[in-house]
Amino acid sequence: MPALTLTLSESDRAMLAGDQGEAAAMSMRVMTRAAAVMDAPHLIDVTSAHIDGCLYHGQTSLDFVERLVQGAGRVRVPTTLNVGSIDLMHPELFRGSDNLRSAGRQLMEAHLALGCEASFTCAPYQLKRRPRLGEQIAWAESNAIVFANSVLGARTNRYGDFIDLCAAITGRAPYAGLHVDENRYAQVVIELPQLTGLDRDLAFALIGLVVGARAGSRIPVLVGLPGDASEDELKALGAASASTGAVAMFHAVGVTPEAPTLSAALGGRSALQHVRITLSDLKDARRRLNRAEAGERVAAVSVGTPHFSPTEFDRLDALLALHADDLQSAFYVNTSRFVLWQLQQDGRLQRLQARGIRIVTDTCTYITPIIEQLEGVVMTNSGKMAYYAPSNIGVRLAFGGLAECVRSAVEGRVVLDE
Amino acid sequence: MSELLPGRTVESGTASGLPLRLAAPLSFWGGFDAENGLVIEQGHPDQGVSLQGRLLLMERAKGSSSSSSVLAEALRHGTGPCAMVMREADLIIALGAIVARELYGVVMPIVVVDADVWQQLCTVEGRLLVTALDDGSAWLSLPGPQVAL
């Protein structure tokens, strides 16, 4: 532990010595060790934290949080929670073992005891209070990290299990990586094709999948992304890029806040690499992840990975209105409690439920056993779900745009545009 | 190899074990069964191999940040490696070891070495001893009377 280079403030040292209680001391111990691994010169204040620790991975997950609860731990900054293993609002949806059910619930509740907000969403940027340009934050969850850095211009490293909660409890993070100006410039220039003949939501997911594979852990700057790209589309792109690669941030010229020009995104330096992506690269990415043939039985459609936004619900609502027939396949939409509450307020929820839409909150169908019928294919418009679900929950995936998903659910069979 | 091979401490401690060099990076989350200590990643060249008690040589990490939890869980079960040697320090791997020490007092030293040392380690047969100090200095050696510690 080369801690010799890490300088702590007076209050950091006091916390380490136990002045703020045992939970804060333990969190600061973990934080300083992590800072040493990252070669950080010192720690900085963060204004919010997003915690990915409420998904149950085993006894250690629970032991860590409960140790903090016993040590009278309280988060020092506004702290949101990522998805857990079960939908606490709709627990009857859970189809896993009793052990996972009770441990999963216990883990989620222990986080609440530390003062975290019961947000249980992978899209904390869709909540009311969200970080602004330049704000230093400590966020976990790969898609939230890439959205915060790229679309909001807030600053976080790829935090994950344990360190995220230590940042929330200490209010501090190592000054390294993407917290530092110098490290936020693009390293790879990626030129995009015209997105003709592809559904927009699918096109952005496909761009993300290809960008992640090409950029790896480097920061790409995208040239040629439509200037009217919506937050939903940037969310789909970022989530997919953080699945196939370790992308923590991307720039898109004329779209994202730190890329008014290509030269600004590059920080005036030259790129390490130029990559050109073609329309056929995008179509290949879809072919690789779509494992279903047109006409196959669709057991379920699942969308909302990451969690569906209000505007995505509008689009779903409009697409459903094009079809009078009942859905022939189960149709799950993953979203947050906050968005569910908005749907309840304006009456959209009742309309969607009347069409057979099943809303899942607090968790996500690709990580926990919810989907009832796994025989047949599961269809999604999410690049992230298409990438992870086959190994996570053992399903065969059909991968298409939201319009294709709706048409497939209406017919009960895979409908693909091409 | 009778001399001490130098490295840099990522996580301090001492351990000895038979080296096991992974042919490719492993994501502990999704790729490792913490209950049984086995590599389970589909298509990984070391799929089915046990990491329990081995001195793991893994050049670099990959994959999900949930790997920290899976590694800590393996160390709790006693099914994890006894030490790790890497070419690049990795926060996610380090956190697994840091938290296992905090919660369970299980120590799994992690050392980063340069290319030369890595090459030499890859040819070692027999047990290796890892010593990683809090001041950042670390070394690897063959255990035995020829090394005065």
Side-chain angles (χ1 to χ4, degrees), chain A residues 12 14 57 60 76 85-86 146 181 228 253 255 265 316 318 341 357 395 406:
Chain A
D12 292 336
H57 295 300
T60 307
R76 271 177 177 65
S85 299
I86 49 174
V146 72
D181 282 344
D228 63 348
V253 175
V255 177
L316 175 62
W341 173 78
I357 301 295
V395 294
V406 170

Side-chain angles (χ1 to χ4, degrees), chain A residues 1-2 4 26 29-30 33-34 37-39 52 57-60 63-64 67 158-163 392, chain B residues 8-10 29 63 65-66 68-69 72-73 76 89-91 94-95 98-99 101-104 133-136:
Chain A
M1 181 178 44
L4 300 174
M26 172 173 140
R29 274 198 302 278
V30 174
R33 287 182 182 169
V37 174
M38 296 169 78
D39 284 326
D52 187 22
H57 295 300
Q59 186 62 37
T60 307
D63 287 346
F64 184 73
R67 181 76 64 89
R158 295 178 69 230
Y159 294 114
D161 290 0
F162 309 128
I163 183 81
N392 276 359
Chain B
R8 184 172 75 93
T9 302
V10 174
W29 184 72
S65 68
S66 298
S68 310
S69 291
E73 183 74 1
R76 181 180 80 88
D90 180 76
L91 180 63
L95 280 167
I98 291 167
V99 167
R101 182 200 297 256
E102 274 292 334
L103 292 181
Y104 310 116
L133 302 182
D134 273 335
D135 70 3

